[in-house]
Structure formats: structure tokens, C-alpha cells
């Protein structure tokens, strides 16, 4: 068997894996857009090339909102895959409590994850009662707006450098037949866009009070009223964005049909596939050009328990490989995300990724909503946002009142 070539190859956990026969591991994930597919192919290639095992791809179309219930249902129902993508945070709490996920603590200790995973909150989100249950593979931040140079050029206005400039330019975009804001119809998209506006408009302190401290008074107060008013504006900008999936909305920006999209840094993968260049074909503004900060959400791999020692050894081999330096670089360059390791060479990163790396290095980070809210609370907020974004008669004041009620009961 070929050994995983990283700094700590030969540790007890990995040596044990070398004694087992080849295994086929089914891996479920929701990475199906062009950029996402190119990125996950790097994981599959590394696993197939560097071990004696085989990656059996189990892609689920429809993004996380569609895939997560299917993944969790299979595990709870006794038909588990061998490895699965989820977001690191609180999504797997029920599975861990039920004893259905493999404990990866021995791998984490052998590979020194506590020393290399940055920021530490990523590994903390994989840890329950001192035991590690997932392998974090990237840092994804929602805190971006993507701007089409072609759309603004066709409209005869400069590419904005802030949210206020963008709002001021929206009428010119509409006059030129452009969609000011591209927005897909899935719940997580409208909720995510609202979260980005909250950090940019309400500010970091107010966002933290609501999302971390569950302060309903702040959620229902004057500061957040400005966020809901901005969201109502954005709702009108996105009125003609008749697409479903996030990457379809990104394509509207890539082709110059839309001026902008509020979307996480995974959008970079779509621009890369379209062979567009940051700073020439599109501009990325972290924190809407207002608060340059990134949220440290992202993806992690969990490994459902199997009644087979050979499969378990192969699962642990995969977990270690996903965080190895070469694999981290190859995957994240194509995904548009930041690596979880701070000790890898990213000289090939584009301008937008470099911005993210600089912000990360500065320490200007916040947790992601998946790390602060339970799945139930997140679902309630998503339901509200879908209704608000899709119903022009739903007033900002009424939506804010309902939002404050949800925060008051949040867990």
C-alpha cells in the first residue's frame, strides 16, 4: 500500500491502515456545480492515487438544503455512506449524540490537527466532549458581493466599491436592462444574503449580540431595522432574478446579465471555470466593501460508523489525507475557499482569495451561523427569509418582528 505522504506519515493510526485490504468508500456531498465538481475531483484523485482504496462518488444535486436531510436520514435509517460532507458546526449534533459517527480523535492527535487547523474554532466545531468527530477541509465565508464589470460598463457607471455605491448604481443597471441583484430561490441563499447585510449594515457588535448572545432586543431594535430596510431594497433589486440555484445566479453575473450577487467565496470556482479574472472581469468586495471581515464557516467530512474494521481504517486514512498539505492546496484553489492549514503555499491564489487570506491573517473573523444556531433555529430563520424575499407586501417591520421572536427562542 502506498503511504500518505505528509509530515506525520507513519503514525500509529496510518500504519494500522496499511495492513487492510482495498476498500470502496461511498462519499456523499452536494458539490455539483462546475467549480465544485472540479474541486471535489481533487479529493477523489488524491484518495485513489495515494491509497489502495477507491472513492465512490455519491454527489447529491440541489445544494446543502436538499442534500443534508437525505444524508442525515440515511445515517439515522441504518443505511450510512462511508463518508459525507456536512458543514462543520451544529448540523451533526443529533448523529453524534446517537453514537452514529466515527470518533476521529486518534487521527487528529496523530496528525497534529490542533497545531495546524486555523482558526482553532474550526476544529472546536468538530469536537464534542473532548472528542473529534469530523475533518474540517476548508474555510468558507459568506461575506462577499461579486460585481460584473460588463454589466456596470454597459450601464455607463463605475464598478462600485461599497454597498452604498452599489445601491446608488442600481437604477442605472435597471435602465440598461440589467438585473441589479442576482438571487436564487433556495432558502439558504436568501438567509445568507441577509446575514451578510447584517454584518455590513448593523455592524459586528450588533451581529454578535444577535447571533452569538441571542439578544432579541437588538434583533428587534433600530440597528437591525436598517438591515431589514436594506433587505427590502435588495428584494426589489432581485425581483427579476428568476433562477433557482446559486450557480445559475452567479452565471448571470459572469455573463453580464446581472450587476451583482451576494454569495460566499465558493462563487470563485464558477468564475474560474468561466476563465474570468478577478480585477478585470469581476470585482469581489469582502463585507460589501463596508466591514472587511470573513465568517469562518466551511465544510467538513464526517464518517458514519461501520461494522467493519477494514472500512474504519480506510475512513481514517481518508480523514488524514483530506488535511494533508498538497490536497489542501489543490482542493481549495479550485473551490475558491481558504485552506484550514496556515502552513501551505498559496502563491497561485487569485486576487479575491488573497484578500480573504489577508483578512484571515489579520484576525478579522466571526463564526458562521451554522456554528451559533441549531438546525431548528436556522430552519425557522430560513423559512422567514424565503417568505420575506418572495413577498413584496411583507413589510420590513413585520419581518423584523418575526425575526426577533425567533431569536428570543433560539438555541
Amino acid at each position: 500500500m502506498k503511504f500518505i505522504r505528509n509530515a506525520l506519515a507513519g503514525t500509529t493510526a496510518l500504519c494500522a491502515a496499511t495492513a487492510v485490504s482495498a476498500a470502496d468508500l461511498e462519499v456523499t456531498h452536494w458539490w455539483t456545480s462546475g467549480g465544485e465538481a472540479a474541486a471535489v475531483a481533487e479529493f477523489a484523485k488524491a484518495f485513489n492515487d495515494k491509497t489502495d482504496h477507491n472513492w465512490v462518488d455519491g454527489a447529491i444535486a440541489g445544494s446543502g438544503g436538499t442534500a443534508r436531510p437525505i444524508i442525515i436520514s440515511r445515517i439515522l435509517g441504518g443505511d450510512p455512506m462511508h463518508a459525507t460532507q456536512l458543514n462543520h458546526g451544529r448540523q451533526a449534533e443529533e448523529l453524534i449524540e446517537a453514537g452514529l459517527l466515527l470518533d476521529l480523535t486518534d487521527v487528529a492527535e496523530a496528525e497534529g490537527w490542533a497545531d495546524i487547523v486555523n482558526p482553532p474554532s474550526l476544529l472546536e466545531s468538530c469536537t464534542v466532549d473532548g472528542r473529534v468527530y469530523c475533518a474540517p477541509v476548508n474555510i468558507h465565508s459568506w461575506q462577499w458581493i461579486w460585481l460584473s464589470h460588463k454589466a456596470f460598463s454597459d450601464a455607463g457607471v463605475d464598478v462600485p466599491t461599497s454597498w452604498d455605491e452599489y445601491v446608488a448604481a442600481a437604477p442605472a443597471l435597471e435602465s440598461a436592462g440589467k438585473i441589479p441583484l442576482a438571487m436564487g430561490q433556495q432558502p439558504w441563499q436568501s438567509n445568507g444574503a441577509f446575514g451578510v447585510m447584517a454584518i455590513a449594515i448593523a455592524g459586528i457588535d450588533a451581529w454578535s449580540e444577535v447571533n452569538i448572545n441571542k439578544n432579541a432586543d437588538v434583533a428587534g431594535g433600530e440597528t437591525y431595522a436598517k438591515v431589514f430596510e436594506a433587505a427590502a431594497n435588495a428584494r426589489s433589486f432581485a425581483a427579476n432574478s428568476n433562477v433557482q440555484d446559486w450557480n445559475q445566479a452567479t452565471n448571470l453575473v459572469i455573463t453580464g446579465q446581472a450587476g451583482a450577487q451576494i454569495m460566499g467565496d465558493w462563487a470563485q470556482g464558477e468564475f474560474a471555470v468561466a476563465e474570468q479574472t478577478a480585477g478585470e472581469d469581476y470585482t469581489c468586495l469582502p463585507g460589501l466593501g463596508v466591514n472587511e471581515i470573513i465568517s469562518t464557516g466551511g465544510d467538513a467530512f464526517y464518517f458514519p460508523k461501520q461494522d467493519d474494521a477494514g472500512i474504519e481504517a480506510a475512513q481514517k486514512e481518508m480523514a488524514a489525507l483530506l488535511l494533508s498539505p498538497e490536497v489542501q492546496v489543490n482542493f481549495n484553489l479550485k473551490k475558491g475557499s481558504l485552506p484550514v492549514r496556515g502552513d501551505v503555499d498559496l502563491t497561485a491564489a487569485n486576487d479575491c482569495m488573497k484578500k480573504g487570506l489577508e483578512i484571515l491573517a489579520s484576525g478579522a473573523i466571526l463564526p458562521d451561523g451554522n456554528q451559533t444556531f441549531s438546525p431548528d433555529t436556522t430552519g425557522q430563520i430560513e423559512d422567514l427569509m424565503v417568505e420575506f424575499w418572495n413577498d413584496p407586501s411583507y413589510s420590513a417591520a413585520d419581518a423584523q418582528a418575526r425575526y426577533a421572536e425567533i431569536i428570543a427562542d433560539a438555541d
Side-chain angles (χ1 to χ4, degrees), residues 27-40:
V27 185
T28 53
H29 60 86
W30 56 82
W31 288 325
T32 56
S33 75
E36 290 173 328
V40 75

Side-chain angles (χ1 to χ4, degrees), residues 253-275:
V253 178
I254 290 172
T255 57
Q257 298 175 70
Q261 179 189 25
I262 299 174
M263 185 50 59
D265 51 16
W266 48 91
Q268 290 187 82
E270 302 306 297
F271 286 101
V273 169
E275 299 183 343

Side-chain angles (χ1 to χ4, degrees), residues 37-388:
V40 75
E42 293 292 340
F43 279 160
K45 182 178 186 299
F47 187 64
N48 292 339
D49 289 351
K50 295 180 181 294
T51 78
D52 283 346
H53 310 302
N54 184 45
W55 176 293
V56 179
D57 202 71
I60 302 171
S63 78
T66 299
R68 277 190 297 271
I70 295 171
I71 291 166
I72 293 171
S73 177
R74 277 191 57 183
I75 298 171
L76 290 173
D79 179 31
M81 62 296 296
H82 301 105
T84 187
Q85 170 206 7
L86 288 170
N87 300 118
H88 47 65
R90 300 181 62 182
Q91 293 174 354
E93 282 182 346
E94 181 182 7
L95 301 175
I96 294 170
E97 290 170 358
L100 297 174
L101 296 181
L102 183 62
D103 185 336
L104 300 174
T105 306
D106 56 345
V107 179
E109 291 177 348
E111 293 295 299
W113 287 357
D115 297 323
I116 62 174
V117 173
N118 178 50
S121 60
L122 301 179
L123 191 58
E124 290 168 6
S125 292
C126 288
T127 305
V128 177
D129 296 332
R131 310 302 292 178
V132 177
Y133 290 93
C134 69
V137 296
N138 62 13
I139 303 167
H140 262 319
S141 175
W142 252 105
Q143 310 305 314
W144 299 87
I145 186 169
W146 308 86
L147 305 163
S148 166
H149 286 201
K150 182 181 187 308
F152 286 96
S153 176
D154 290 348
V157 291
D158 292 336
V159 176
T161 61
S162 69
W163 176 254
D164 287 343
E165 289 183 11
Y166 163 72
V167 171
L173 290 168
E174 290 181 315
S175 296
K178 308 292 182 181
I179 301 167
L181 185 66
M183 174 74 73
Q185 301 303 308
Q186 294 158 325
W188 66 271
Q189 295 184 58
S190 49
N191 185 35
F194 176 83
V196 175
M197 286 187 284
I199 291 175
I201 295 167
I204 295 165
D205 290 343
W207 182 92
S208 298
E209 277 298 312
V210 172
N211 288 264
I212 298 175
N213 297 330
K214 317 298 192 295
N215 189 325
D217 291 335
V218 174
E222 292 183 9
T223 302
Y224 256 70
K226 296 176 182 177
V227 181
F228 277 91
E229 289 164 5
N233 244 348
R235 177 176 62 189
S236 67
F237 296 157
N240 294 319
S241 180
N242 299 314
V243 294
Q244 178 73 11
D245 296 333
W246 71 268
N247 53 303
Q248 293 174 318
T250 305
N251 188 61
L252 293 175
V253 178
I254 290 172
T255 57
Q257 298 175 70
Q261 179 189 25
I262 299 174
M263 185 50 59
D265 51 16
W266 48 91
Q268 290 187 82
E270 302 306 297
F271 286 101
V273 169
E275 299 183 343
Q276 292 207 343
T277 301
E280 296 179 11
D281 302 302
Y282 66 96
T283 287
C284 55
L285 296 179
L288 305 185
V290 180
N291 283 320
E292 289 203 351
I293 196 163
I294 61 172
S295 53
T296 51
D299 302 294
F301 276 81
Y302 292 79
F303 300 84
K305 283 185 177 179
Q306 310 287 324
D307 189 21
D308 185 313
I311 292 292
E312 181 176 311
Q315 290 174 307
K316 291 184 175 182
E317 211 172 340
M318 179 185 287
L321 182 64
L322 296 176
L323 269 76
S324 63
E326 179 184 355
V327 175
Q328 277 283 293
V329 170
N330 293 341
F331 170 77
N332 284 292
L333 284 177
K334 290 190 176 177
K335 189 68 167 64
S337 49
L338 303 181
V340 299
R341 311 179 57 124
D343 60 349
V344 294
D345 182 7
L346 283 173
T347 54
N350 68 19
D351 287 350
C352 293
M353 185 179 286
K354 287 177 180 175
K355 285 183 182 180
L357 289 167
E358 290 169 1
I359 295 170
L360 178 64
S362 76
I365 59 176
L366 284 175
D368 183 77
N370 288 315
Q371 296 165 293
T372 62
F373 288 137
S374 70
D376 178 64
T377 297
T378 298
Q380 291 181 57
I381 296 173
E382 287 182 347
D383 290 344
L384 167 64
M385 291 300 161
V386 167
E387 187 176 358
F388 174 67

